[in-house]
Amino acid sequence: VFAFKIAGAKAAQGASLDQVAEVTERALDNIRTMGVALSPVTLPAVGKPTFTIGDDEMEIGMGIHGEPGIKREKLHTADEIAERMTKAILDDMNLEKGSKLAVMLNSLGATPLEELMILYNKIFDILKEKEIEVYKVYAGEFATSMEMTGASLTFFNLADKELVELLDASAQTPFFKQLPK
């Protein structure tokens, strides 16, 4: 979602295709995401869940369309899940103190906003402890799958002024709206 946002904002400025591609690649180099599923996705064409998972299990690192994750394990608390996703992403990003992040907490389709906020509370505490600035938070349904319970967490390192400006630009699409800052 962040990459589409950056590409769209750059294109709206009248940039060339090469310029849009360059800034989008730069954004992608600074974006990491991880998801956890508590229930499977149901594809309309198939009419049944794409996989089965126990009521006491979770799938770590699964894909938005039900692709297998990196591990299936017993269900953990919301704080433990938030810690796990945050640590995995931060370990891959090697951020310095004072880094500025946009954070997206995405419902996979059946997770309500209230539950996302429980996860975000712990994520914010971890980032604050590590002295990483949360510049902007997006929480809600941005990329979903039918009936899938779970969340994806995305960090976007706003490594330069242009990425911040493009992220802040207004957007008006059927699935993503943002007023100018």
Side-chain angles (χ1 to χ4, degrees), residues 58-79:
M58 62 185 197
E59 182 95 13
I60 301 288
M62 81 314 136
I64 191 74
H65 300 105
E67 299 88 352
I70 56 175
K71 189 173 184 184
R72 184 173 291 189
E73 56 191 53
K74 291 294 181 189
L75 185 61
H76 295 287
T77 68
D79 280 357

Side-chain angles (χ1 to χ4, degrees), residues 56-129:
D56 64 340
E57 294 181 312
M58 62 185 197
E59 182 95 13
I60 301 288
M62 81 314 136
I64 191 74
H65 300 105
E67 299 88 352
I70 56 175
K71 189 173 184 184
R72 184 173 291 189
E73 56 191 53
K74 291 294 181 189
L75 185 61
H76 295 287
T77 68
D79 280 357
E80 290 168 335
I81 293 168
E83 285 179 33
R84 177 101 178 256
M85 290 194 299
T86 301
K87 181 181 181 332
I89 295 171
L90 290 177
D91 286 351
D92 192 56
M93 292 185 91
N94 300 314
L95 297 173
E96 298 176 9
K97 288 181 180 178
S99 293
K100 186 185 312 189
L101 290 181
V103 176
M104 181 172 284
L105 199 51
N106 174 58
S107 168
L108 297 180
T111 303
L113 184 59
E114 296 84 358
E115 291 181 16
L116 294 177
M117 292 295 94
I118 292 168
L119 287 170
Y120 179 71
N121 187 54
K122 184 63 175 180
I123 293 162
F124 177 81
D125 288 346
I126 294 166
L127 295 175
K128 184 177 180 182
E129 180 181 302

